[in-house]
Amino acid sequence: MQGKILIVTGARGALGQVVAETALVRGARVAGIDHASSQTAASADHIDIAGVDLSDPAQAKAAVDAAAKHFGRLDALINIAGGFAFETVCDGDIATWQRMHKLNVLTALNASRAALPHLAKSTAGRIVNIGAMGALQAGNGMGPYAASKAGVHRLTEALANEWKGKVTVNAVLPSIIDTAANRADMPKADFSKWVTPQELAEVILFLASDAASGVTGALIPVGGRV
């Protein structure tokens, strides 16, 4: 990661914070983009761009362009921004399907479209998306979420083929991530089986590195011990 310039979307979430912090420790410079509203802050190795709705193409482009301008270039985009909903198909609300598509597919799509012109100028342009193991075979109550993450999988594959030889595009597919929110939602679960944010960050940053130059279009399960 030494010298790499990364954008991390959803940078204030449980996973985004770990990915950004790990990348910084390893010598990267990081632009964190998040929907949370607060004052945008910047330093030599980090810029925090707040209050961005990545489901809006114009806002996504403005944020990505601001990051590229601040650092002078862009090497990798890590699309972590997203959301989750547990709702059965027949008893749920159509608005949930629309919200999952907006939060998971459109955020990754818009950020990627904005970043690709910058990434193509890098000698090692990378996009890493967050899919889901639960989208490989949707369970009870997982319909809206799984459908949206399946969209992320197909987006990953399409972009990998369209930009082959210029930018690599891959996705990691976590199971349940060990976060405070997930522990609160499932207090009786065996947390030791879940994948930790740090374990997931290791795979994400590998895919964003020079060492992953031969990997594109991959959907990599990172299931922990589930």
Side-chain angles (χ1 to χ4, degrees):
M1 287 292 99
Q2 186 66 43
K4 295 294 185 183
I5 297 174
L6 282 61
I7 286 178
V8 178
T9 74
R12 296 190 182 178
L15 176 59
Q17 288 185 50
V18 172
V19 170
E21 290 168 2
T22 303
L24 284 166
V25 166
R26 295 179 184 176
R29 289 180 284 173
V30 177
I33 299 176
D34 202 277
H35 189 261
S37 296
S38 68
Q39 186 175 359
T40 296
S43 66
D45 61 357
H46 180 256
I47 181 170
D48 182 20
I49 305 173
V52 180
D53 180 359
L54 289 170
S55 69
D56 179 340
Q59 290 191 45
K61 185 177 187 305
V64 169
D65 287 350
K69 181 178 181 180
H70 180 74
F71 290 122
R73 70 174 203 277
L74 179 61
D75 297 310
L77 168 68
I78 301 173
N79 282 315
I80 298 178
F84 175 78
F86 184 89
E87 193 170 276
T88 59
V89 174
C90 291
D91 295 330
D93 191 332
I94 192 66
T96 302
W97 291 76
Q98 295 167 332
R99 182 165 60 89
M100 288 296 95
H101 179 77
K102 175 181 176 180
L103 291 176
N104 293 322
V105 182
L106 293 185
T107 56
L109 171 63
N110 291 334
S112 296
R113 284 166 59 105
L116 278 163
H118 300 289
L119 296 173
K121 298 175 185 177
S122 171
T123 57
R126 307 278 187 263
I127 294 176
V128 185
N129 294 323
I130 308 299
M133 286 180 62
L136 299 177
Q137 184 174 10
N140 179 29
M142 296 291 286
Y145 175 76
S148 68
K149 285 298 188 179
V152 173
H153 298 177
R154 303 293 82 81
L155 171 65
T156 299
E157 294 165 340
L159 285 177
N161 278 291
E162 291 173 13
W163 289 79
K164 193 171 289 184
K166 298 177 182 178
V167 176
T168 69
V169 188
N170 297 289
V172 296
L173 281 56
S175 56
I176 303 171
I177 305 175
D178 188 2
T179 65
N182 283 337
R183 287 191 178 206
D185 287 342
M186 294 170 274
K188 295 182 180 180
D190 183 353
F191 308 141
S192 68
K193 292 184 177 180
W194 295 353
V195 63
T196 68
Q198 188 63 51
E199 288 172 327
L200 199 52
E202 296 294 338
V203 183
I204 290 169
L205 293 177
F206 165 72
L207 292 172
S209 74
D210 291 340
S213 60
V215 184
T216 195
L219 307 176
I220 301 176
V222 189
R225 290 139 295 277
V226 173

